[in-house]
Amino acid sequence: MNYLDFDLLIERAEEGYTARVLNSPAGQASARFDLPFSELELENFLLRVGRTRRGVRRLESPEMGAAKTFGARLFGAVFEDDVRGCLVSSLDQANRENLGLRIRLRTADAPELSDLPWEYLYNPTLNRFLVLSATTPIVRYLDLPERVRPLEVNPPLRVLVMISSPSNYPPLDVEREWNKLRTALRGLEQRGLVTLERMEVATLVALQRRLRRGEHHVFHFVGHGGFDEQKQDGVLLLEDESGLGRPVSGQYLGTLMHDERTLRLAVLNACEGARTSRTDPFAGTAQSLVQQGVPAVIGMQFEITDEAAITLAHEFYAALVDGYPVDAALAEARKAVFAANNDVEWGTPVLYMRSPDGQVFQIEKMSEEERRRSQIDALYRKAQQAMVEGNWAAAVDGVQSLLRLEPGHAEAAALLEEARQQQRLAALYAEGRTHYEAGRWPEALKALGQVEEMSGDYKDVSTLIADARAKLPAVERAPEEPGRQPSVLPLALTRRAWLAVPAALMLLCLTCGGGYLIWRNFFASPEPLPAALPAAQAEETPIEDPDGELMPGGVEATPTRLQPTPTKVPAYSPTPVTRTSRPPTETPVPPSPTRPTATPRPTATPRPTARPTEILIAPTHLAPAAGSVFDHYPRTTTLRWAAVRGARSYVVEVDCYHCCKVGEWCSDIGETHKLASGLTETTYTFDFVGNQPGRWRVWAVYADGSESAKSGWWDFRYTAPPATKALDSPVQLAPAAGSVFDHYPRTTTLKWSSLSGATSYVVEIDCYHCCETGAWCSDVGETHRLAAGLKETTYTFNFVGMQPGRWRVWAVYADGTESAKSGWWDFRYTR
């Protein structure tokens, strides 16, 4: 779409402001106006629209009504008298020429108005918001002398994505933000029109390197932003090499991007509480980037819901690759958000631009064959990237989509085979690892063995197999033949199968023994005793079978009682006594030297133990040393011990003297003072309760639920007395009670004294009129602002309006208790 320009300048006047039309199809005009709402009304509107994030909102919601009221009042104030006539005439001329009318808003001479949400300008005569029509886009325009030429781009449009979440700031769900953007642009990527490139680290050095090594058309930032009062410049919160936050000014960032001739657009996406006051966090950054040479910048002046963000990104980039100017593409995206039953979030994006016509890209039109080739190339690059990231499912899906477009693509076919192989390996490895961690050694060996056969030393599979074999009870191990590769199949016998072996053997023994006793007592003839042997001695003579074993019924006697009289009984020889049940002519067979000895009777196979011998080994204490005495407060203690092989987790028991009963340890009277289970590391940090003696011990827990032996007790003691906290409160230092301020923005820094032993502080800020007219928020049961977890004794915030405010502070200790709250100190702003 082509446009005519309506250049509107807002500047300060002696009283109020002046709206001046510098250029339009209907000529020039000007009119003086005052803001139609108070600072409090403006603040309340911004907070109401910016904080309500409960998903997609219904049409004609209270927020929509508030937006219409605000937009109509702002429109009526600015477009008054000659300025309104000029606008109406310009719209008529644009309609006659079948063109749009681009409203280029300039607020450099009244910077305090740049934070106003001009995107909600509402024309009550036409009953519509101006930006919800592609024919009347609104852009924040900066007129710079350097001319912007459209960049010729052969698709795909390359988007460089940076997601910043410093560890010392409120965290962002990085993967969720990345997946949200990929979901929005998946269709465009598959068609080969857009390519997303993600930066692994969100540092300034990494950004500089990435810009130097490749051409990019769009920089898409997701993270936190703000405004530096001292430097009077917007900042983006990037990360440093250690992952902490590093504020980077828009001017500094723009300097890096100035020489990137292909970079024509920056998108700054706020997340999770980007705007909590009147100040737009990205306004200063966006203007600085435009001033440094980026032709167009889109910033989000409020937090945006997932649904709106996905719709906005998809429609905006789709219109952009269709050849739309930036402002027209954004207008299409706004309409798409509105069409999705979302009645106010279409006003969240703000467009800053120095391109006179918004045409920052000249997208080359492609033939059907060129589009197909571009789509194939994009799918192949996407599959390769998925392979690099180890996302095998995405790689398989991408290559399959590619092969549907070009079945004979040899490289894609090879890539598909490799992706499927890696997908199978990953699944088997995950299965084996799960069994390994659960202590199911046969199942783990089976799965990991398949991985080893398919890919050799895949990750740490060889180490896992060796460890699993070592932990497998010996009875479950398969015998290995010399020169034969070990097999995991014999190891598949489960412990439950081995339980049947001793039972079967026991049954067999009982059957055989019972049968023999029946035969011996009822069918066999009694054995004759030697005639020369006295009856008393004959009853004690042992009877042996041909193999030398004592037969049933024989009696073991002491050697003295078995000494026969030499004249009556020949000396005892190994020749067995002939049994009367045998024929008299039968000659017993003497024992042969080569005859194997009798096989011992089978005994029941012992049940495999649940855990190898290390179950008896307790973890070894490392620190603190036994008998340690501490004098610090709070009494935060870190215990350390040595790892036990095969342990899945650890349990630490902390005992206390006097705590449960005076003169007794808790454990000695059957009580437990503190028990921490499920610990996966070999350290545990806790806060002790007093300066009485304490002691601790630790033991391991294995995957099958069994436990190791418990370590011995190691004792310690604290000498520092606890701080008296319940009656104390921090002392407020500044600003003084009753302070009156006249600066804007209303940035306020609170200061108070520290309390001994406090680990953090809580500041509560109250507001008069904000929750209910004529009342403090706290008096009606509401909380205006609460800042917890403060480590310093200062807190800086932006107050909401010119109504009275007040604040108080209290301390929080390591054990979670709180000090007394300070009194309220009030303050007030006059502008």
Side-chain angles (χ1 to χ4, degrees):
M1 175 176 285
N2 295 322
Y3 292 91
L4 299 176
D5 293 325
F6 188 91
D7 291 314
L8 180 63
L9 172 67
I10 306 296
E11 58 184 355
R12 290 174 180 167
E14 292 183 1
E15 294 182 2
Y17 301 92
T18 299
R20 193 182 305 280
V21 180
L22 302 179
N23 178 47
S24 76
Q28 299 178 343
S30 65
R32 198 197 69 81
F33 72 94
D34 294 315
L35 284 180
F37 26 68
S38 67
E39 289 288 336
L40 177 60
E41 290 174 321
L42 175 59
E43 195 74 34
N44 289 338
F45 170 73
L46 294 177
L47 296 178
R48 184 174 191 178
V49 174
R51 286 183 175 177
T52 306
R53 291 290 175 262
R54 301 187 182 96
V56 179
R57 294 188 283 276
R58 65 188 185 277
L59 287 174
E60 298 302 331
S61 66
E63 289 80 13
M64 168 62 91
K68 283 185 176 181
T69 301
F70 172 85
R73 294 172 66 182
L74 184 59
F75 182 87
V78 175
F79 292 94
E80 192 175 22
D81 300 333
D82 294 344
V83 176
R84 176 173 295 191
C86 190
L87 175 65
V88 172
S89 300
S90 298
L91 287 172
D92 289 342
Q93 184 172 339
N95 291 332
R96 287 194 301 269
E97 299 180 18
N98 197 25
L99 299 173
L101 185 68
R102 177 185 292 114
I103 300 174
R104 302 195 301 189
L105 185 65
R106 307 168 189 240
T107 59
D109 293 337
E112 67 274 14
L113 300 185
S114 62
D115 292 330
L116 290 180
W118 294 91
E119 288 65 31
Y120 290 105
L121 277 172
Y122 179 77
N123 188 340
T125 303
L126 301 178
N127 193 26
R128 65 177 173 84
F129 295 94
L130 298 183
V131 297
L132 280 181
S133 172
T135 60
T136 54
I138 296 176
V139 301
R140 316 288 184 95
Y141 187 69
L142 280 76
D143 191 6
L144 300 176
E146 186 178 356
R147 180 176 175 80
V148 178
R149 297 178 182 273
L151 176 69
E152 293 185 2
V153 175
N154 291 317
L157 192 70
R158 301 186 181 277
V159 181
L160 180 62
V161 181
M162 173 187 281
I163 304 176
S164 177
S165 181
S167 59
N168 57 334
Y169 283 83
L172 303 181
D173 191 336
V174 174
E175 292 304 320
R176 176 168 165 264
E177 295 297 332
W178 170 244
N179 291 331
K180 184 168 63 177
L181 189 58
R182 293 188 66 181
T183 299
L185 302 183
R186 181 177 294 118
L188 298 175
E189 280 194 288
Q190 292 176 351
R191 291 163 55 193
L193 300 177
V194 174
T195 295
L196 290 176
E197 298 181 25
R198 178 182 177 181
M199 295 186 61
E200 295 302 324
V201 292
T203 64
L204 199 62
V205 173
L207 176 61
Q208 182 183 8
R209 291 173 181 170
R210 185 64 71 91
L211 292 175
R212 184 179 68 243
R213 293 173 181 174
E215 291 188 353
H216 302 88
H217 306 130
V218 181
F219 173 65
H220 193 114
F221 173 83
V222 180
H224 297 296
F227 191 82
D228 190 326
E229 293 290 342
Q230 294 182 346
K231 298 180 180 179
Q232 288 296 299
D233 192 6
V235 294
L236 296 183
L237 197 59
L238 273 59
E239 300 173 12
D240 61 15
E241 287 69 16
S242 60
L244 301 177
R246 178 185 177 182
V248 177
S249 68
Q251 182 178 2
Y252 198 99
L253 188 64
T255 302
L256 289 184
M257 296 181 176
H258 176 77
D259 294 334
E260 302 302 321
R261 298 298 181 182
T262 61
L263 189 63
R264 297 304 181 94
L265 173 65
V267 178
L268 310 179
N269 192 359
C271 294
E272 301 186 13
R275 186 171 186 161
T276 58
S277 67
R278 174 174 170 172
T279 304
D280 182 350
F282 286 141
T285 306
Q287 293 181 44
S288 295
L289 290 178
V290 171
Q291 290 170 350
Q292 291 297 321
V294 181
V297 178
I298 296 176
M300 305 298 165
Q301 59 182 328
F302 304 113
E303 181 189 351
I304 189 168
T305 59
D306 289 352
E307 296 85 353
I310 291 173
T311 302
L312 189 74
H314 179 270
E315 294 299 326
F316 172 71
Y317 284 110
L320 208 59
V321 296
D322 284 342
Y324 277 58
V326 175
D327 48 356
L330 185 56
E332 292 296 320
R334 293 185 197 274
K335 290 193 297 182
V337 173
F338 182 78
N341 291 338
N342 193 316
D343 55 356
V344 294
E345 286 190 281
W346 47 264
T348 295
V350 178
L351 174 60
Y352 297 85
M353 194 170 67
R354 70 183 184 91
S355 173
D357 57 1
Q359 200 74 50
V360 296
F361 299 116
Q362 188 68 48
I363 307 294
E364 295 293 330
K365 297 296 182 182
M366 296 186 295
S367 63
E368 288 299 323
E369 178 60 23
E370 289 174 335
R371 187 180 295 275
R372 191 180 74 87
R373 294 307 312 171
S374 177
Q375 186 175 356
I376 290 173
D377 292 342
L379 287 172
Y380 190 74
R381 286 194 301 270
K382 181 180 178 182
Q384 286 182 316
Q385 182 64 29
M387 292 286 287
V388 171
E389 297 173 354
N391 190 349
W392 314 120
V396 169
D397 292 342
V399 178
Q400 287 177 337
S401 300
L402 187 156
L403 290 175
R404 283 194 290 269
L405 293 174
E406 188 172 345
H409 200 297
E411 294 178 352
L415 191 64
L416 178 61
E417 183 178 354
E418 174 65 17
R420 284 175 171 168
Q421 171 85 349
Q422 293 296 329
Q423 191 176 28
R424 174 63 176 162
L425 284 172
L428 283 172
Y429 178 81
E431 178 186 353
R433 187 86 193 196
T434 300
H435 290 312
Y436 176 87
E437 293 175 353
R440 297 187 290 268
W441 312 120
E443 293 86 349
L445 286 170
K446 182 178 180 180
L448 296 173
Q450 295 182 55
V451 175
E452 190 175 42
E453 292 176 5
M454 293 172 62
S455 184
D457 192 11
Y458 179 87
K459 295 185 178 180
D460 58 345
V461 69
S462 298
T463 303
L464 295 178
I465 289 177
D467 193 40
R469 283 176 178 158
K471 293 178 179 179
L472 192 72
V475 72
E476 296 188 17
R477 298 178 187 166
E480 298 180 3
E481 299 177 5
R484 181 178 178 183
Q485 186 71 16
S487 172
V488 284
L489 293 179
L491 301 176
L493 287 175
T494 62
R495 301 183 179 190
R496 191 173 294 177
W498 283 106
L499 294 178
V501 175
L505 291 176
M506 185 177 296
L507 181 62
L508 179 62
C509 293
L510 291 174
T511 302
C512 295
Y516 177 79
L517 289 175
I518 293 173
W519 174 83
R520 179 75 174 81
N521 293 327
F522 294 97
F523 298 101
S525 298
E527 192 75 35
L529 296 174
L533 192 66
Q537 294 184 8
E539 294 178 356
E540 297 177 356
T541 302
I543 303 174
E544 297 184 4
D545 69 1
D547 294 327
E549 292 184 351
L550 184 68
M551 297 294 293
V555 179
E556 293 187 21
T558 61
T560 55
R561 299 180 65 187
L562 290 178
Q563 295 297 328
T565 304
T567 58
K568 294 183 179 181
V569 180
Y572 185 80
S573 69
T575 303
V577 177
T578 303
R579 300 183 185 187
T580 58
S581 60
R582 295 174 181 171
T585 58
E586 183 179 1
T587 303
V589 180
S592 172
T594 60
R595 184 178 178 182
T597 59
T599 304
R601 180 175 297 173
T603 58
T605 304
R607 180 178 177 179
T609 57
R611 172 66 39 193
T613 56
E614 71 260 19
I615 194 169
L616 300 177
I617 302 175
T620 302
H621 296 76
L622 297 179
S628 295
V629 178
F630 307 107
D631 61 357
H632 60 268
Y633 186 83
R635 304 185 188 92
T636 302
T637 311
T638 298
L639 310 177
R640 295 175 54 242
W641 59 93
V644 173
R645 184 178 180 182
R648 181 183 64 181
S649 62
Y650 300 91
V651 181
V652 168
E653 181 180 0
V654 180
D655 203 3
C656 178
Y657 198 66
H658 297 312
C659 288
C660 301
K661 183 179 180 180
V662 176
E664 298 283 351
W665 292 98
C666 290
S667 60
D668 290 345
I669 60 173
E671 300 287 342
T672 300
H673 174 64
K674 186 187 291 285
L675 194 72
S677 60
L679 305 174
T680 57
E681 304 294 334
T682 56
T683 61
Y684 172 61
T685 301
F686 69 101
D687 293 314
F688 198 54
V689 294
N691 56 354
Q692 61 270 27
R695 62 182 182 178
W696 69 286
R697 62 182 175 181
V698 60
W699 61 94
V701 180
Y702 298 91
D704 58 2
S706 59
E707 297 180 348
S708 74
K710 297 179 181 179
S711 69
W713 289 106
W714 274 27
D715 61 313
F716 59 88
R717 184 188 180 103
Y718 276 92
T719 60
T724 57
K725 47 191 178 181
L727 300 179
D728 296 337
S729 66
V731 178
Q732 293 154 293
L733 300 177
S739 295
V740 179
F741 306 108
D742 61 356
H743 60 268
Y744 185 83
R746 304 185 195 92
T747 303
T748 310
T749 298
L750 310 176
K751 297 181 180 180
W752 58 92
S753 65
S754 61
L755 274 187
S756 176
T759 57
S760 64
Y761 299 91
V762 181
V763 168
E764 182 181 2
I765 299 170
D766 204 3
C767 178
Y768 199 67
H769 297 312
C770 288
C771 301
E772 184 177 310
T773 302
W776 294 97
C777 289
S778 60
D779 290 344
V780 296
E782 300 286 342
T783 300
H784 175 64
R785 184 192 297 265
L786 195 71
L790 304 176
K791 302 298 184 182
E792 306 294 333
T793 55
T794 62
Y795 174 60
T796 301
F797 69 101
N798 291 316
F799 197 54
V800 294
M802 292 188 296
Q803 62 272 29
R806 62 182 183 178
W807 69 285
R808 62 182 175 182
V809 61
W810 62 92
V812 179
Y813 297 90
D815 58 2
T817 59
E818 297 179 347
S819 74
K821 298 179 181 179
S822 70
W824 288 108
W825 275 26
D826 60 315
F827 59 87
R828 183 187 182 98
Y829 276 91
T830 59
R831 64 183 294 265

